[in-house]
Amino acid sequence: MTDATIPAGASPQAKDSLLVPDARTRKRNASEARFRAYGLGAIVIAVIMLLILLFTIITDGIGAFRQTYLTIPVTLDAQQLDPSGNRDPEDLKKILTLTYGNMLNGAVEGVIAESGIQVADLTEKDVNDLISKEAAAQLRNRVLANPELIGQTVESRVLVNGRVDGYYKGRVSMASAALDGNTSPQQLQLADALKDAGLLATRWNWAFLSNPDASDQRPEAAGVGIAILGSLYMMLVVLFLAVPIGVAASIYLEEFATKNRLTDIIEVNISNLAAVPSIVFGILGLAVFINFSGLPQSAPIVGGLVLTLMTLPTIIIATRASLKAVPPSIRDAALGVGASKMQSVFHHVLPLALPGILTGTIIGLAQALGETAPLLLIGMVAFVKNFPSAPPEGLFDPASALPVQVYNWTQRADPAFIERASGAIIVLLVFLLCMNLLAIYLRRKFERRW
Amino acid sequence: MNDMRILERSVDQTDAKISAKDVQVYYGDKQAIKDVNVDILDKTVTAFIGPSGCGKSTFLRCINRMNDTIDVARIEGSIKLDGEDVYDKRVDPVQLRARVGMVFQKPNPFPKSIYDNVSYGPRIHGLARNKAELDEIVEKSLRGAALWNEVKDRLQEPGTGLSGGQQQRLCIARAVATQPEVLLMDEPCSALDPIATGQVEELIDQLRSEFSVVIVTHSMQQAARVSQKTAFFHLGYLVEYGDTDDIFTNPRDPRTESYISGRIG
Ligand SMILES: Nc1ncnc2c1ncn2[C@@H]1O[C@H](COP(=O)(O)OP(=O)(O)OP(=O)(O)O)[C@@H](O)[C@H]1O
Ligand SMILES: [Mg+2]
């Protein structure tokens, strides 16, 4: 074809100048330039998508890390809180949240009067509802943990309700408050006045990371503490089960098992297992671990077991791939000096495969960390208010998990929970980022041995 | 026919360290070694020569059962080490390989330090009682492989950071360090310069006083220099086996003659 295009008279000796690219070169360069443009385009699209995602999550969720508090002195009247006067913890527990609530209301009214705040048409309800319904319970817990506070006047940082908090985060306006049964423009004006008096401020909110979930009416108190703990416990279970089992299985399959039909079938099935939808593992977990084995619902141990099943194929595939990548000459070298199979694997092959195994394992764990569907089926979606105890017993206590908490909060009506859900996503992303950084670090560290 | 009788007579000789009888090796359906009978003597250097792909490495790897690691490889016949069949079911190949060391065709140091490369064998076989003894073995082996002067100041650096020829000598040192009875060397000098080659040949000559050495080489001169016995392989057959001097001065088979005079190869 090319021959045909050569002009009949052209002599084969005639040489073109190197300074002028010929037609073939121009064509080749053009196609290379086009390919580079496609690649660049793909990357730009991917980066834009990622930025949009991160931008929306961060703008929605950053608010969860800031919270509006009222700082007021509260007089913990010994008469009311400890009528018997002996500071007996059992007696102190008999005093209900209601008493503390009244005490807080009194304190709020006190500061309003003291700082001479005047708001037209301010009702009693506006004042009492300014602070969160959770505030009284938090004060009670503080006193129960610290009975010597009774009888003193303590500076307390009190949560304000979700609407007022939303007002300072731009979620609520005077106009929307006028239509809202849960707040009123007067209440917001009161908050503004308190803010001017330096008593009310929106500040950094560590409590989001440590608080348990809260009920529908108290978004301002909700946190991811139990969810983080539950996810952590599940990761522990996965780490202690999936890693040893997965690595041992891969070493056996790759280095010791004779290659025959049976091992072929096993290999195909492991690859298939990696593609099974996660919800199927949830059904399996429900049937086997809860209904058959009788393990408790909502427990990290069950979640961990289900996630172990899900993670195993990932770990096995990654481990086998990195074992395969070790040059056979290394095995020969070890066997050649009289090392046994096992010595050659553990002294030489495994150290070389380690970076790959670690990366695969961490990616598997990261996948498990973000998994939601199977956890819904085994009841990890339940509302949990009490922290699980320390492992190993804590593995059997009810807990939540980060991705499930996100799902859970997006189901709730109050828009404040959208902020919480995005905040939980940020926490989840930070964890994933840390795990991936760890994977990169370990990879670098162990690869230097080559 | 005449050859066969000579071979059979030599089988009866008692100083045969390794004695192969009717060895056939198959890779799947393909036969790589055909009817090989050979006696390798103790305290002797035996050279395997022959054109590329004729089965020298294959046969060498049969002697210490390295072919066990190749799934498709199958071997028939018997190979005896000191009168014991190495393919007997009761033989543990790991124990065999500790006695029959090997230097591979391609240098394959462990991706560990030079010191660890050489000390690995002695360590797993418990040849040294303490660190001092181990140090001594390492130094002696590296000196033997003509590498000591180049690496004595950087024993803790990775063996993979050495040049190709240095890596090959490191592998020789590693094989020598386990103190085998037989040392199988597959083209140990293919990546070496003439000086290092000379040093390795010197080492081989020293080793002869204690071990039996089998060396595969593509260099006729090297075979003539270091070996006492030479085996010529061609297309999987052992064509001729005898004293090195005889083979080079007075080859009996026309194929041997044309190979050593450079007409096939
Ligand atoms: N692992 C293997 N699988 C299949 N066939 C093999 C394998 N190793 C070697 N062979 C075949 O066996 C024959 C002999 O190979 P071998 O490596 O023993 O040759 P050689 O004499 O050592 O050659 P060279 O001098 O090039 O190293 C060759 O035809 C080769 O293709
Ligand atoms: Mg070879």
Side-chain angles (χ1 to χ4, degrees), chain A residues 45-338:
Chain A
I45 292 175
V47 168
I48 289 176
M49 295 293 185
L50 192 67
L51 286 180
I52 292 176
L53 179 81
L54 284 180
F55 180 77
T56 41
I57 288 174
I58 289 175
T59 46
D60 282 354
I62 199 75
F65 294 91
R66 296 178 61 73
Q67 195 66 46
T68 311
Y69 291 95
L70 187 62
T71 312
I72 48 171
V74 180
T75 307
L76 298 168
D77 181 14
Q79 211 69 99
Q80 288 180 51
L81 297 184
D82 189 20
S84 54
N86 55 12
R87 302 288 189 268
D88 179 5
E90 287 310 310
D91 285 346
L92 293 183
K93 274 189 195 146
K94 285 185 192 134
I95 307 299
L96 299 180
T97 320
L98 189 66
T99 315
Y100 289 92
N102 291 336
M103 215 169 267
L104 279 173
N105 289 343
V108 175
E109 279 156 17
V111 290
I112 293 174
E114 199 181 303
S115 31
I117 293 170
Q118 300 284 332
V119 178
D121 300 332
L122 189 68
T123 64
E124 170 102 13
K125 182 173 178 292
D126 288 335
V127 175
N128 290 348
D129 286 354
L130 176 72
I131 56 175
S132 162
K133 293 189 178 67
E134 192 69 21
Q138 287 178 350
L139 181 65
R140 178 169 179 263
N141 287 340
R142 187 172 163 203
V143 170
L144 288 183
N146 230 350
E148 66 269 24
L149 293 177
I150 295 176
Q152 300 179 19
T153 299
V154 290
E155 278 288 300
S156 301
R157 190 174 282 181
V158 184
L159 270 176
V160 306
N161 85 41
R163 296 297 148 94
V164 176
D165 180 51
Y167 174 57
Y168 293 110
K169 290 172 180 168
R171 204 167 53 226
V172 176
S173 66
M174 287 292 176
S176 74
L179 308 170
D180 193 335
N182 288 320
T183 185
S184 64
Q186 289 78 12
Q187 191 176 49
L188 298 183
Q189 282 162 14
L190 171 64
D192 275 339
L194 286 167
K195 191 175 182 186
D196 291 339
L199 298 170
L200 185 142
T202 305
R203 52 185 88 229
W204 185 253
N205 180 26
W206 281 119
F208 180 62
L209 295 179
S210 56
N211 274 359
D213 191 8
S215 65
D216 280 2
Q217 283 77 40
R218 305 169 184 185
E220 63 277 2
V224 289
I226 291 181
I228 291 180
L229 216 57
S231 281
L232 197 75
Y233 283 7
M234 288 195 298
M235 289 304 106
L236 283 181
V237 174
V238 176
L239 197 67
F240 281 101
L241 289 179
V243 176
I245 296 176
V247 173
S250 331
I251 292 178
Y252 179 77
L253 281 175
E254 200 54 45
E255 304 284 339
F256 292 94
T258 44
K259 305 273 174 290
N260 56 26
R261 241 200 142 78
L262 185 68
T263 44
D264 282 350
I265 292 174
I266 291 177
E267 173 152 13
V268 169
N269 278 309
I270 287 174
S271 309
N272 280 342
L273 222 50
V276 170
S278 56
I279 192 124
V280 176
F281 285 100
I283 295 172
L284 181 85
L286 182 64
V288 175
F289 299 126
I290 295 182
N291 293 343
F292 179 74
S293 307
L295 287 169
Q297 286 204 11
S298 311
I301 182 78
V302 180
L305 287 170
V306 170
L307 294 179
T308 297
L309 287 179
M310 272 195 50
T311 318
L312 263 178
T314 313
I315 293 183
I316 292 180
I317 290 171
T319 306
R320 292 191 66 182
S322 37
L323 288 174
K324 266 205 192 88
V326 174
S329 64
I330 297 295
R331 296 180 178 85
D332 279 356
L335 296 180
V337 293

Side-chain angles (χ1 to χ4, degrees), chain A residues 425-443:
Chain A
I425 293 175
I426 293 177
V427 173
L428 190 58
L429 287 181
V430 168
F431 275 101
L432 291 176
L433 193 71
C434 291
M435 286 170 85
N436 287 331
L437 287 177
L438 184 70
I440 293 172
Y441 168 76
L442 289 174
R443 187 167 200 121

